């Protein structure tokens, strides 16, 4: 051991003597070159190690539901606005026109509200969450369309009849339990035939991958993803819709995120372990340091209750890469980097500020057992994911449309 210490000391002394004998300009150049090379290596490594989402399998673009007689349907094709967006994108690349005409369009909505529920081994918690959700959705939207409005939500601005109805899309993320059976039994019990749809991913992708997949297939004027554990108070969806409308721009692009920030210091948070609370505060600090201005101001980025207007989806979903817990932050960063929504001001000027505005809405929330979060490892994964997102932001990946 002493020999190793002596070798280290001799090495440091040799480096010191060499630096002392080196001219100052050469020494400064060497330091700058070393710093730049180290930064470039880390920067490239982040992109090399970052996972690339796989394309969906054919079976993942299908869904099953129940017949009125209670039997299960054969697989049916899922409607997919994202496929048409890809066609628009290819046309944009061919003609060199990346305007909203080719990259921001989306098919008309068929219902007013889409609910996407990512589910991985949720047989014990899913039914309770669905009961609360359906009770609110039935009362608020009904199960039938009330009429047809214009694309991208302009119906609410022009006075046309607003769409009614809702859909629930459960994205089974490779569950190994009876999650699908529970969902279909619930559909059968409450006569949710073709209102509740189950799509199964062949391989587990993570929560972010499941939400992104579901959002590619939503038919609603608004789309929300909600955790299967039922921790969020579902009737607060009405608050999110109102918040989204308040920040929406002229094309009706807007986002509302459920927030638990007002609960910090409450019994629900205090009862958490000291380690979990410490990691939570550390993560929030990293968010403030590594995310761009608008995203860094959001106090709760991780609540699993976020609402998007249909018009905002083409500027976010096609560009998603994160499939783990950090995907929420990527969604918000993509919203921040979206092109401007042209809005005529009262003085006749045009608002060209980029980004889709986000409303942070306080919601009711409760701690639910059975969390799949591995506090230590998933926290490290989130930190790593944040570093990748920051590197991507600095490289301008999210600024090109």
């Amino acid at each position: 051991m002493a020999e190793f210490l002596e070798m280290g000391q001799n090495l440091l002394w040799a480096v010191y003597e060499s630096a002392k004998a080196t001219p100052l300009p050469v020494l400064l150049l060497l330091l700058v070159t070393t710093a730049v090379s180290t930064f470039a290596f880390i920067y490239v490594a982040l992109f090399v190690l970052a996972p690339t989402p796989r394309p969906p399998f054919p079976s993942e673009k299908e869904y099953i539901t129940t017949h009125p007689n209670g039997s299960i349907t054969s697989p049916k094709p899922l409607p997919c606005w994202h496929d048409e967006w890809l066609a628009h994108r290819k046309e944009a690349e061919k003609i060199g026109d990346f305007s909203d005409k080719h990259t921001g369009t989306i098919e008309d909505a068929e219902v007013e509200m889409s609910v996407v529920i990512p589910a991985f081994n949720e047989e014990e918690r899913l039914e309770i969450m669905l009961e609360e959700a359906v009770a609110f959705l039935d009362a608020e939207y009904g199960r039938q369309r009330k009429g047809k409005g214009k694309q991208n939500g302009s119906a609410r601005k022009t006075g046309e009849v607003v769409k009614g109805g809702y859909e629930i899309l459960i994205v089974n993320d490779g569950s190994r339990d009876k999650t699908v059976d529970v969902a279909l039994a619930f559909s059968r019990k409450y006569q949710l035939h073709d209102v509740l749809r189950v799509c199964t991913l062949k391989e587990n992708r993570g929560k972010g991958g499941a939400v992104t997949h579901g959002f590619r297939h939503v038919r609603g004027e608004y789309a929300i993803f909600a955790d299967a554990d039922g921790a969020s108070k579902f009737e607060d969806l009405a608050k999110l819709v109102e918040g989204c409308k308040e920040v929406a721009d002229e094309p009706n692009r807007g986002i509302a995120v459920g927030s638990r920030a007002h609960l910090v210091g409450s019994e629900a948070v205090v009862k958490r372990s000291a380690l979990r609370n410490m990691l939570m505060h550390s993560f929030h600090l990293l968010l403030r340091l590594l995310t761009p201005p608008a995203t860094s101001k959001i106090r709760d980025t991780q609540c699993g209750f976020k609402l998007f207007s249909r018009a905002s989806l083409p500027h976010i979903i096609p560009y998603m890469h994160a499939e783990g817990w950090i995907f929420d932050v990527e969604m918000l960063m993509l919203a921040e980097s979206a092109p401007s929504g042209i809005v005529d001001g009262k003085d006749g000027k045009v608002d060209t500020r980029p980004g889709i505005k986000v409303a942070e809405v306080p919601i009711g929330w409760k701690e639910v057992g059975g969390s799949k979060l591995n506090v230590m490892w998933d926290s490290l994964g989130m930190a790593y994911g944040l570093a990748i997102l920051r590197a991507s932001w600095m490289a301008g990946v999210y600024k090109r449309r």
Side-chain angles (χ1 to χ4, degrees):
M1 184 67 178
E3 293 179 358
F4 283 108
L5 290 175
E6 186 177 354
M7 288 176 59
Q9 290 174 354
N10 291 337
L11 180 61
L12 290 174
W13 181 255
V15 171
Y16 172 75
E17 288 295 326
S18 298
K20 191 176 179 181
T22 304
L24 183 59
V26 176
L27 185 61
L28 290 175
L29 179 62
L30 181 62
L31 290 174
V32 170
T33 302
T34 302
V36 171
S37 299
T38 302
F39 177 80
F41 173 78
I42 295 173
Y43 188 76
V44 171
L46 285 171
F47 280 99
V48 171
L49 296 175
T52 301
R54 63 167 174 80
F57 293 107
S59 63
E60 296 174 344
K61 296 179 71 65
E62 298 177 327
Y63 75 94
I64 56 174
T65 184
T66 53
H67 287 298
N69 64 8
S71 62
I72 300 172
T73 66
S74 58
K76 301 180 180 181
L78 267 175
C80 184
W81 64 264
H82 185 253
D83 287 344
E84 185 169 332
W85 183 93
L86 289 174
H88 292 161
R89 184 72 177 190
K90 290 181 180 179
E91 182 182 356
E93 293 172 349
K94 183 178 180 180
I95 65 178
D97 179 5
F98 289 90
S99 65
D100 190 72
K101 175 182 178 181
H102 295 285
T103 60
T105 54
I106 186 170
E107 298 172 355
D108 288 359
E110 296 181 22
V111 293
E112 190 169 355
M113 182 61 63
S114 292
V115 180
V116 173
I117 304 173
F120 174 64
N121 294 340
E122 292 288 357
E123 65 176 1
E124 295 182 0
R125 304 190 297 183
L126 183 60
E127 184 174 3
I128 297 174
M129 181 270 177
L130 286 173
E131 286 179 348
E132 181 183 354
V134 168
F136 171 80
L137 293 167
D138 278 346
E140 186 76 6
Y141 301 108
R143 299 186 184 182
Q144 300 296 325
R145 293 179 57 185
K146 299 177 183 177
K148 185 176 182 180
K150 290 186 176 180
Q151 183 174 329
N152 290 351
S154 57
R156 72 175 180 84
K157 293 182 179 293
T158 61
E160 295 186 18
V161 179
V162 178
K163 304 172 186 63
Y166 68 91
E167 66 172 345
I168 298 174
L169 179 57
I170 297 175
V171 183
N172 170 34
D173 192 17
S175 298
R176 296 183 293 271
D177 64 357
K178 297 181 179 180
T179 294
V180 173
D181 295 336
V182 170
L184 293 174
F186 186 88
S187 174
R188 189 178 297 114
K189 178 180 179 180
Y190 289 92
Q191 301 290 303
L192 290 166
H193 316 307
D194 218 42
V195 173
L196 186 149
R197 301 176 172 191
V198 179
C199 168
T200 295
L201 301 184
K202 189 175 181 179
E203 300 172 356
N204 178 267
R205 301 193 66 166
K207 182 180 175 182
V211 169
T212 300
H213 184 80
F215 268 30
R216 289 175 176 175
H217 299 87
V218 293
R219 298 177 293 148
E221 198 68 54
Y222 294 93
I224 187 169
F225 71 82
D227 288 346
D229 61 5
S232 302
K233 187 178 180 181
F234 202 89
E235 66 183 37
D236 283 341
L237 172 58
K239 297 180 182 178
L240 265 63
V241 172
E242 190 60 33
C244 187
K245 290 180 178 180
E246 289 176 359
V247 300
D249 55 20
E250 189 173 0
N252 198 33
R253 305 179 313 168
I255 299 171
V257 300
S259 177
R260 303 160 296 182
H262 63 292
L263 296 174
V264 173
S266 67
E267 184 179 5
V269 175
V270 171
K271 282 187 174 181
R272 287 179 169 180
S273 68
L275 174 61
R276 187 166 180 178
N277 281 325
M278 181 193 71
L279 291 173
M280 176 187 71
H281 290 300
S282 299
F283 178 72
H284 289 164
L285 176 61
L286 283 176
L287 278 173
R288 288 194 292 271
L289 294 174
L290 297 179
T291 55
T295 303
S296 65
K297 292 178 182 177
I298 297 175
R299 299 174 64 195
D300 184 2
T301 62
Q302 300 308 112
C303 180
F305 203 54
K306 292 182 174 65
L307 177 80
F308 298 75
S309 69
R310 188 172 185 80
S312 68
L313 298 180
H315 301 286
I316 299 172
I317 300 305
Y319 304 96
M320 289 289 295
H321 289 86
E323 297 198 313
W325 297 100
I326 204 67
F327 81 98
D328 306 70
V329 178
E330 185 176 32
M331 282 182 153
L332 297 172
M333 290 174 65
L334 284 166
E336 184 171 351
S337 66
S340 63
I342 305 302
V343 180
D344 295 327
K346 294 181 180 179
D347 55 1
K349 295 182 179 180
V350 175
D351 184 356
T352 58
R353 289 174 295 180
I356 298 172
K357 293 182 179 179
V358 179
E360 188 169 8
V361 181
I363 62 168
W365 178 85
K366 60 181 180 293
E367 187 79 47
V368 178
S371 173
K372 298 176 178 63
L373 181 70
N374 183 307
V375 177
M376 182 60 72
W377 286 109
D378 288 328
S379 296
L380 291 174
M382 287 181 181
Y384 173 70
L386 276 176
I388 293 176
L389 295 182
R390 183 59 183 179
S392 300
W393 179 273
M394 292 175 65
V397 172
Y398 296 143
K399 297 183 184 298
R400 182 176 65 84
R401 290 292 181 273

